[in-house]
Amino acid sequence: MFRDNVNFLEKKDFFEQGILALHFNRPLEAIKYLSLLEEENNSATSFNIALCYLKVQKYEIVLFYLEKALSEIKRNRSIEMSSNNYSELLAFEQENDDYIKPMLYFTPFQFPDLAREQILRLMVDILFMLERKEEMYKIINSLKNKNYKNVKDKITRS
């Protein structure tokens, strides 16, 4: 259906419609939009598809898309983060659960480290649910010196 109307909607519109559908708890609709963008190899697309499967508790499929998202991250370091209030912003992100919210389209390109950490935080949750603790601890080790609330919780509960 959507493929016939490719000229009507541009790629950014597919992404935005997928995010909106995901936001309104319509994962099937979100996947239909987002799957049209998979060939672009954007981490945000794969991450958001993983969130769709998370809603229906298909954890192995979630893990597949998270691994795909991780492998697609572009290492674009041309944008520097301002040091003003950085510690307060980081503390806020470490304590909230927004890592399970949709990822914006340009995040993997502009902020690859933030995108990577968002993906890894969700991977920790999924591996914990699948009781794959050895893999989970490898990921936790790659998040050293981070005080992410969900990661601390998994360490405590293991």
Side-chain angles (χ1 to χ4, degrees):
M1 174 182 154
F2 296 122
R3 295 190 197 280
D4 298 335
N5 296 320
V6 170
N7 294 333
F8 178 71
L9 290 174
E10 294 189 28
K11 289 183 179 187
K12 69 177 182 69
D13 296 325
F14 287 128
F15 189 84
E16 290 171 3
Q17 291 299 309
I19 295 296
L20 285 171
L22 189 55
H23 177 74
F24 289 110
N25 286 320
R26 297 193 316 247
L28 177 61
E29 184 179 344
I31 285 177
K32 286 186 176 189
Y33 283 114
L34 294 169
S35 65
L36 295 171
L37 303 172
E38 274 192 272
E39 73 277 355
E40 289 187 0
N41 297 324
N42 182 335
S43 291
T45 300
S46 296
F47 181 83
N48 293 328
I49 290 173
L51 291 180
C52 293
Y53 286 106
L54 181 62
K55 291 193 178 290
V56 293
Q57 301 176 351
K58 296 291 184 183
Y59 301 127
E60 293 289 344
I61 298 172
V62 172
L63 196 55
F64 169 80
Y65 278 101
L66 292 175
E67 289 169 352
K68 184 175 184 209
L70 204 54
S71 71
E72 294 166 343
I73 289 181
K74 305 292 186 212
R75 294 291 175 196
N76 182 343
R77 306 236 183 254
S78 62
I79 296 177
E80 294 291 324
M81 289 290 290
S82 167
S83 61
N84 298 339
N85 297 323
Y86 181 72
S87 59
E88 289 86 358
L89 295 172
L90 180 61
F92 172 78
E93 287 199 7
Q94 290 173 341
E95 288 299 316
N96 74 43
D97 290 334
D98 285 347
Y99 68 96
I100 57 175
K101 301 286 192 233
M103 185 182 292
L104 301 176
Y105 187 82
F106 287 112
T107 299
F109 300 103
Q110 292 181 320
F111 308 104
D113 290 334
L114 292 176
R116 178 182 171 275
E117 289 176 10
Q118 183 176 359
I119 294 164
L120 292 175
R121 288 179 74 186
L122 185 55
M123 286 180 87
V124 167
D125 289 351
I126 299 303
L127 290 169
F128 181 82
M129 285 186 264
L130 292 172
E131 297 182 1
R132 292 167 56 179
K133 303 239 167 108
E134 186 175 316
E135 292 172 71
M136 180 186 78
Y137 280 114
K138 286 180 184 176
I139 292 173
I140 288 172
N141 284 335
S142 72
L143 291 170
K144 274 188 198 174
N145 303 322
K146 304 290 181 177
N147 288 319
Y148 292 124
K149 181 180 174 184
N150 73 303
V151 174
K152 291 189 296 188
D153 177 58
K154 299 307 177 285
I155 292 170
T156 304
R157 293 171 58 188
S158 294

